[in-house]
Amino acid sequence: MEYLNQNIERLHHSSSALIRAVKESSGGVLAVVPSREGSPSVMHQGQWVHSAYDPKKEARSWAEQQVKKWKTGELGVVLGVGLLYHVEALAFVKPHDSRLAVVVPDVAVFKDALGARALGAWLNTVQWIIGTPEEMAEQLASQSAPLRFFTYGPAARLHAEAHQRLETDLRRLVASKAGGQLHVAVVGPIYGGSLPIARYVVSALNELGHRVSWLDHSAHHTSYEAFGSFREDRHRLTVQSRFADVLSLSTIAHIAEDPPDLVLAIAQAPLTLAVLQHLRKKKFPTAMWFVENYRHLTYWQQLAGGYDYWFVIQQSECIEALKRAGAAHVHYLPMAADPSVHHPLVLTSAEQQEYGADVSFVGAGYANRRTLLPQWLSPEWTFKLWGNEWDGVSDLSRVLQRNGARIDTETCMKVFNATAVNLNPHSSSGMGLDPYPDFVNPRTFELAACGAFQLVDERTLLTDLFTSEEVVRFRQAEEVPRLIRTWLKESPDRRASAEASRRRVLRDHTYRHRLQELLAVVGMRQPDRIGSILRGDRSTTVLKERAATMPELIPLLSKFPPGQRVELKDLAEDIRTRAPGRQLAREELLVLMLDCYRAEKRDLV
Amino acid sequence: MPRALVIQLARLGDLVQSLPAITQLRVRHPETQLDLLCPSHLAEVGRLLPGIEKVLEWDGAAWQRRAMAAQQDLRAEHLVEVETMLMALAPDRYDCAYVLNQHRRALVAGSLLAREVKGPLLHGPLGETLTPWAAYVRDVAQRRLGQRVHLADAFCGLCGVSPPGHITLLDPPAVRLPEDLEPIGKHGDPWIALIVGAGETERCVPTEVWRRWITSFLASMPQGRVVLVGTEGERAAEIQSLLPSSALGRIWDTTGRTSLSQLAAILVRCHQVVGSDTGPLHLAAALGRPVIGWYFARARVHETGPYGTNHWVWQAEQGDVDERGVLAPCQWPVDETISLLSHQVPTSTENWSLWASHRDELGAYYVEVGHEAIAPLQRTKIWQELQPSPV
């Protein structure tokens, strides 16, 4: 009680709300146990939160590791409260001009810490973040300094869920505020389902105002296919693999010629582990949006450690598997739609006739669909099947359109719009519905964005994305005929559901939303680099504000429009453009000299 | 007192090849304080150059670090830092800078450190127009022209002075060698310094070729000694690994353990120096040691032959040429070089031409053995065209 009162007294500069909350809290969450060296340590649910031997020494060691990443001017944010040994150690080694904040999801734990031992004057230098995860995210997002997170695992474990919610909310807030212009190199696949997604990603990044270098490897598809004509598999695989190596090298050459802030690969992008390691050595951050079912395509196992950031469309098991394979940062990022491509259409009567039906399905003939779809044919409704790889399914031959030709996006949108009930069974290599129904496919979002009604097989991750009013789902194949019958009859309700799903997509599920979130994740992990650009710290406006130490820089910056991102190379280029016929100022020469050395650094290829 | 700064930010070979220009600037402007700006790691050699009062050390690595920081996050502070760094280097601007490289950073350094810049460009550090001498040097390199004026003399032209009337040599540095290297140059004859490596891999003579050369040399000259010099200790070890036991006690490995001054002191103790076109080869020539250069890959006697007299250059004429124009010889003038050490000039060698160095009042030049020298009038004409006013 004595420690508690003393420590509360030390907090007199902190907010009265914090002090009041501490006084009102009952505490008693942590079980304080003496350590071997005598200072109090703590256990929670049978696990040590601090060292059982020497909590202070352990905290110092932890802080020394963390402080290496901490840049001057950043606000260090600690996740994990415990008995605050680690916070104390960090407060003593923090960079000059940097502040420290601690997230306190549960004031009761904080009260236990205050009551366990005497805390020094450092207590008053820390900003204590309390409230609901949403409130704490708001407080952190309102900080002007870049945030650098430090997680003290054993203590953070107690509030994992709150931290998760805090991070999600903070990411959303950061994403909504982001205004700076990044240069992102998007590396696309040679072919396949992720190719259109790469295009949507490029389009979204452009819409968000970023500069995009689109490394479109689909231009090499014909050659890749040609190499597939060898009779022996080992010949084909060797040549195609070497070809992918060449494309990987060409990616490096592109990056060397126009260095981006971030290399964003979309699933199936031909980037080898060696090239990814090379990019890391040269300090290019890399991210992969793996828009695939990790259970079907398993090449992530070889590449896990190569990318700095993984974004996946599945949760828990997938994330754990990637981490086990060596991925440092893995985040859930579901699929989305592009409203400029996926939108309602006004069809002519001829188009309605050609593409329309009571029930349709557009997609490839995966094994499970070959057995499911015949069950859903009925004389009660017209049925059209679009897409390829349906050879040998005689039951479906009479409903298969265009002899099973591959359907382009434009046709696909017409079918979605012209169909009363679009079926959307997720693919699986089994015989029935997907036995691991977690990820939500792009078609779900695309149908919704078109304002088209769909019946989709239930997914564990669907609830967070759409309500059952927005997207109607089924759990058993047998339910489908009944659902078709019901929804064909209930035309106004069908339209209402479809419109609601479109509203939801426009509100939450466009590629623009996804890319904002992806960049926010990377920005929060790299507050001094990507984060700084996203905050607009590289804009002429901010640079001019900061140019007090060398006001001669201001006229150079004034050559650029307000708000435009300006880098060293841009300044140098502008000086070179304006150089003929005049004497260069000293600050211009300094910029040119620095740029000479900058230009030498990326010997990538 | 007027102050001038010679800027040479290239490599060791270029720095020692700047000696004639520095000599003539000293003669031409006796009242001017002449300082040198060179890379930090070459400052030791810069201090050996006669006529230089003060050596300013250019810390390229520090500039690189600051450039990276500015690239990451442009801030006014980065400019303040480099300005502070420059002020510490040279608090007062020089009256004139003589820039001897065409690299942009040397030109910008000239504009930062001096009021007037003489060098390869006519209109400031971003100008496109080369001065006549810079255009000449570029043409020799790009169009693979035969040599008329030596690069070191062209440096004189860049500075607006004529070549020196005599060869100026570097004074051997007064420096202590490690005790075990002290015997070098004593008890034996001849002592040959062999440069085992090169800054660029393509200019490295294969280790098995050096091993063959050493074996032949030691067999043909019973009192001969070989001193392995350079920084490439691993190559030296590889060369020695398969040498016959008779070589024991006749090979002195100094690689990777000497400063530049110590290297100079060792080169001076040797009778001759053999190696590819490298900084140590030019350093040896500047110290007055006769050298025998093996020029291949992209090295050409017309561009970078060692300055002075009594030097020989074997120029590779045939071999495997890659897409970058790098020539890899298929055979090497091993025995022919040993003959040269005995003052026997070989008549011919397959795939290599042999060039001998000369000098006259227009500077140094090379003549192919068995061929006529370039008519002096041709060289005079070049000087008259490129530098019409007498200097």
Side-chain angles (χ1 to χ4, degrees):
Chain A
M1 200 61 181
E2 192 180 334
Y3 288 144
L4 179 64
N5 291 333
Q6 280 174 11
N7 290 327
I8 288 177
E9 187 58 31
R10 283 196 189 280
L11 281 171
H12 64 278
H13 283 315
S14 300
S15 76
S16 52
L18 171 68
I19 295 170
R20 195 168 54 248
V22 170
K23 285 180 176 169
E24 286 171 3
S25 168
S26 53
V29 176
L30 302 176
V32 177
V33 184
S35 69
R36 287 270 181 89
E37 69 67 58
S39 56
S41 189
V42 72
M43 291 191 86
H44 180 71
Q45 293 180 346
Q47 289 190 300
W48 288 98
V49 173
H50 293 289
S51 166
Y53 296 90
D54 190 341
K56 287 180 185 164
K57 189 177 170 190
E58 177 211 38
R60 278 196 300 275
S61 164
W62 176 86
E64 277 162 20
Q65 287 302 313
Q66 306 304 313
V67 79
K68 290 176 189 166
K69 300 178 238 165
W70 196 350
K71 307 275 180 355
T72 300
E74 292 174 349
L75 174 66
V77 182
V78 178
L79 300 180
V81 176
L83 292 190
L84 299 171
Y85 284 112
H86 53 292
V87 179
E88 181 177 20
L90 205 53
F92 279 108
V93 295
K94 74 181 179 65
H96 179 62
D97 286 346
S98 289
R99 291 178 301 120
L100 185 59
V102 177
V103 169
V104 184
D106 183 357
V107 175
V109 173
F110 186 54
K111 184 168 190 172
D112 289 346
L114 295 181
R117 63 194 186 101
L119 302 172
W122 61 269
L123 200 62
N124 226 5
T125 65
V126 173
Q127 188 177 349
W128 304 98
I129 310 288
I130 59 168
T132 64
E134 293 75 16
E135 288 164 348
M136 292 192 290
E138 289 278 0
Q139 289 173 60
L140 289 173
S142 67
Q143 303 290 328
S144 57
L147 307 181
R148 173 76 64 181
F149 282 86
F150 303 110
T151 303
Y152 180 69
R157 202 177 51 224
L158 273 66
H159 306 293
E161 198 182 324
H163 291 152
Q164 183 71 40
R165 282 173 57 200
L166 165 76
E167 189 182 339
T168 305
D169 288 329
L170 185 57
R171 215 160 49 215
R172 183 176 47 76
L173 290 165
V174 168
S176 67
K177 283 183 179 177
Q181 188 196 38
L182 282 172
H183 174 201
V184 183
V186 176
V187 188
I190 303 170
Y191 67 100
S194 58
L195 179 58
I197 291 161
R199 295 197 177 108
Y200 304 145
V201 166
V202 169
S203 167
L205 286 167
N206 278 321
E207 265 181 48
L208 289 167
H210 301 296
R211 183 160 82 82
V212 185
S213 294
W214 167 215
L215 308 187
D216 181 6
H217 291 302
S218 67
H220 307 291
H221 186 199
T222 311
S223 305
Y224 187 82
E225 285 289 298
F227 292 137
S229 63
F230 294 106
R231 280 195 306 276
E232 286 197 33
D233 274 357
R234 69 192 169 92
H235 292 156
R236 178 178 57 79
L237 291 172
T238 304
V239 174
Q240 287 187 329
S241 154
R242 291 287 168 85
F243 187 59
D245 287 346
V246 170
L247 297 186
S248 204
L249 192 62
S250 86
T251 299
I252 289 235
H254 276 289
I255 289 168
E257 290 186 6
D258 189 10
D261 302 305
L262 173 70
V263 179
L264 173 57
I266 307 301
Q268 305 272 19
L271 281 174
T272 60
L273 183 62
V275 160
L276 291 168
Q277 286 166 339
H278 190 51
L279 288 173
R280 179 172 294 155
K281 207 167 126 193
K282 296 289 178 180
K283 304 212 182 307
F284 284 100
T286 55
M288 155 61 86
W289 192 6
F290 191 69
V291 289
E292 306 278 7
N293 181 349
Y294 88 106
R295 296 187 188 91
H296 286 176
L297 289 177
T298 54
Y299 64 88
W300 53 266
Q301 290 168 349
Q302 286 80 47
L303 297 177
Y307 287 99
D308 297 323
Y309 302 92
W310 281 84
F311 294 89
V312 293
I313 59 172
Q314 286 149 295
Q315 285 190 340
S316 44
E317 281 177 37
C318 169
I319 291 174
E320 288 309 313
L322 265 155
K323 285 188 173 170
R324 276 197 305 276
H329 304 293
V330 192
H331 303 267
Y332 170 60
L333 191 70
M335 299 302 311
D338 180 345
S340 70
V341 177
H342 312 115
H343 53 77
L345 292 173
V346 177
L347 300 174
T348 64
S349 55
E351 285 174 325
Q352 185 62 45
Q353 182 72 24
E354 183 180 355
Y355 302 108
D358 291 333
V359 181
S360 293
F361 174 73
V362 186
Y366 278 85
N368 65 328
R369 290 174 182 157
R370 287 166 168 255
T371 54
L372 287 169
L373 260 58
Q375 301 174 40
W376 300 337
L377 299 177
S378 167
E380 293 175 53
W381 49 77
T382 57
F383 192 113
K384 285 184 180 172
L385 171 62
W386 306 78
N388 55 344
E389 297 177 24
W390 292 102
D391 300 345
V393 191
S394 54
D395 293 347
L396 296 171
S397 59
R398 65 189 171 81
V399 294
L400 183 63
Q401 307 298 300
R402 297 186 179 177
N403 289 322
R406 184 181 272 273
I407 300 300
D408 62 27
T409 304
E410 192 185 345
T411 306
C412 194
M413 292 309 109
K414 286 179 181 169
V415 175
F416 287 173
N417 273 277
T419 299
V421 174
N422 287 280
L423 298 176
N424 183 12
H426 281 67
S427 61
S428 164
S429 53
M431 300 307 281
L433 294 178
D434 183 5
Y436 302 102
D438 48 8
F439 72 94
V440 176
N441 65 15
R443 191 187 294 103
T444 309
F445 299 94
E446 291 164 6
L447 280 162
C450 287
F453 179 82
Q454 63 178 305
L455 292 178
V456 62
D457 51 326
E458 182 64 286
R459 319 293 296 173
T460 53
L461 298 174
L462 189 58
T463 313
D464 290 340
L465 301 165
F466 293 99
T467 64
S468 53
E469 285 76 34
E470 289 161 343
V471 169
V472 178
R473 45 269 244 174
F474 54 90
R475 289 174 188 278
Q476 306 286 333
E478 298 74 38
E479 292 174 48
V480 175
R482 181 181 55 78
L483 285 168
I484 293 174
R485 206 169 286 122
T486 304
W487 286 96
L488 277 177
K489 278 184 204 155
E490 294 172 1
S491 180
D493 289 350
R494 195 174 71 224
R495 201 154 35 249
S497 169
E499 282 168 5
S501 69
R502 174 169 162 76
R503 283 195 298 275
R504 183 67 188 271
V505 167
L506 296 181
R507 196 186 81 197
D508 294 331
H509 303 317
T510 66
Y511 282 98
R512 197 183 157 109
H513 290 107
R514 298 297 183 257
L515 269 299
Q516 271 185 320
E517 182 162 353
L518 182 149
L519 295 179
V521 167
V522 179
M524 281 170 61
R525 294 277 172 195
Q526 298 200 334
D528 55 326
R529 196 167 169 187
I530 306 272
S532 151
I533 299 166
L534 286 171
R535 283 193 307 275
D537 287 357
R538 311 285 173 91
S539 73
T540 45
T541 319
V542 175
L543 289 173
K544 276 185 187 172
E545 284 166 13
R546 288 183 184 162
T549 49
M550 188 173 253
E552 296 87 343
L553 194 57
I554 293 173
L556 300 185
L557 292 166
S558 298
K559 308 289 179 200
F560 297 87
Q564 182 178 321
R565 177 182 168 187
V566 178
E567 299 279 334
L568 175 63
K569 65 177 188 298
D570 304 317
L571 271 187
E573 183 54 35
D574 180 63
I575 293 166
R576 280 192 286 270
T577 309
R578 294 184 297 103
R582 69 187 185 88
Q583 188 88 20
L584 293 175
R586 189 164 182 81
E587 57 278 9
E588 290 179 309
L589 291 166
L590 293 175
V591 169
L592 289 174
M593 182 63 92
L594 285 171
D595 192 58
C596 285
Y597 282 93
R598 175 205 62 81
E600 287 171 11
K601 77 160 179 137
R602 306 269 195 198
D603 183 19
L604 270 175
V605 181
Chain B
M1 181 193 271
R3 295 162 65 244
L5 181 68
V6 174
I7 297 181
Q8 178 52 275
L9 293 181
R11 293 180 288 189
L12 175 59
D14 299 271
L15 181 58
V16 293
Q17 298 254 39
S18 306
L19 183 54
I22 290 167
T23 303
Q24 279 305 84
L25 283 170
R26 180 78 286 155
V27 171
R28 177 106 174 123
H29 306 289
E31 75 294 352
T32 300
Q33 175 185 325
L34 200 58
D35 293 348
L36 171 73
L37 178 72
C38 70
S40 305
H41 67 282
L42 301 180
E44 272 183 79
V45 173
R47 291 190 191 96
L48 297 178
L49 301 179
I52 291 297
E53 199 148 313
K54 184 178 167 192
V55 174
L56 311 187
E57 297 186 23
W58 186 256
D59 189 348
W63 277 94
Q64 182 92 35
R65 282 195 301 276
R66 283 174 171 85
M68 291 309 102
Q71 158 78 355
Q72 286 258 321
D73 183 11
L74 180 63
R75 287 169 179 269
E77 286 78 2
H78 295 127
L79 296 190
V80 174
E81 281 170 22
V82 290
E83 175 67 338
T84 308
M85 202 159 77
L86 279 177
M87 292 306 287
L89 192 68
D92 301 311
R93 288 179 92 188
Y94 285 82
D95 299 298
C96 180
Y98 297 97
V99 179
L100 300 184
N101 316 121
Q102 292 194 24
H103 197 287
R104 191 78 69 194
R105 74 170 91 106
L107 293 155
V108 176
S111 299
L112 280 165
L113 296 170
R115 280 183 278 279
E116 185 192 0
V117 177
K118 290 184 180 170
L121 292 183
L122 279 175
H123 308 297
L126 296 179
E128 298 291 331
T129 316
L130 295 174
T131 57
W133 276 109
Y136 170 79
V137 171
R138 187 198 54 188
D139 279 358
V140 168
Q142 284 187 352
R143 294 165 56 197
R144 318 288 287 175
L145 296 176
Q147 189 202 43
R148 300 292 184 275
V149 175
H150 193 279
L151 176 68
D153 297 319
F155 283 163
C156 295
L158 275 178
C159 297
V161 294
S162 53
H166 61 282
I167 302 284
T168 308
L169 298 177
L170 298 182
D171 289 330
V175 62
R176 278 182 68 87
L177 290 179
E179 204 167 316
D180 61 315
L181 300 184
E182 261 309 318
I184 288 176
K186 300 167 187 169
H187 313 300
D189 184 19
W191 284 79
I192 306 298
L194 192 74
I195 302 163
V196 300
E200 293 167 7
T201 315
E202 65 196 31
R203 286 197 190 186
C204 287
V205 175
T207 51
E208 62 88 12
V209 173
W210 278 145
R211 197 181 302 128
R212 191 148 47 89
W213 188 92
I214 292 169
T215 308
S216 295
F217 167 76
L218 295 179
S220 65
M221 303 207 180
Q223 296 304 309
R225 303 285 188 272
V226 176
V227 183
L228 304 179
V229 298
T231 54
E232 299 84 354
E234 280 182 23
R235 279 177 65 78
E238 204 179 321
I239 290 167
Q240 295 171 84
S241 62
L242 292 172
L243 281 174
S245 54
S246 58
L248 206 64
R250 298 174 68 189
I251 310 283
W252 298 73
D253 184 0
T254 72
T255 54
R257 43 189 300 229
T258 56
S259 65
L260 281 173
S261 302
Q262 289 172 323
L263 170 66
I266 288 168
L267 292 172
V268 164
R269 293 181 184 210
C270 294
H271 297 96
Q272 293 208 49
V273 179
V274 178
S276 54
D277 181 13
T278 55
L281 191 81
H282 293 285
L283 180 60
L287 287 159
R289 294 296 89 189
V291 308
I292 301 175
W294 288 9
Y295 277 43
F296 57 98
R298 276 182 285 204
R300 295 174 68 235
V301 63
H302 303 297
E303 293 172 47
T304 54
Y307 195 81
T309 53
N310 303 320
H311 306 310
W312 296 97
V313 169
W314 287 105
Q315 176 72 58
E317 303 289 357
Q318 299 286 326
D320 298 329
V321 182
D322 71 13
E323 68 280 4
R324 298 167 301 154
V326 174
L327 187 151
C330 304
Q331 59 192 77
W332 301 84
V334 172
D335 295 329
E336 294 81 357
T337 299
I338 294 166
S339 298
L340 277 178
L341 294 175
S342 317
H343 309 294
Q344 295 166 17
V345 179
T347 48
S348 68
T349 306
E350 205 176 347
N351 300 336
W352 294 79
S353 58
L354 178 62
W355 298 73
S357 69
H358 298 270
R359 78 164 301 281
D360 58 17
E361 71 282 0
L362 292 176
Y365 62 98
Y366 274 81
V367 177
E368 186 175 355
V369 171
H371 290 70
E372 288 291 313
I374 298 160
L377 267 178
Q378 280 191 38
R379 297 171 57 236
T380 308
K381 200 170 155 224
I382 290 171
W383 274 96
Q384 284 170 347
E385 276 175 15
L386 300 180
Q387 203 150 294
S389 53
V391 289

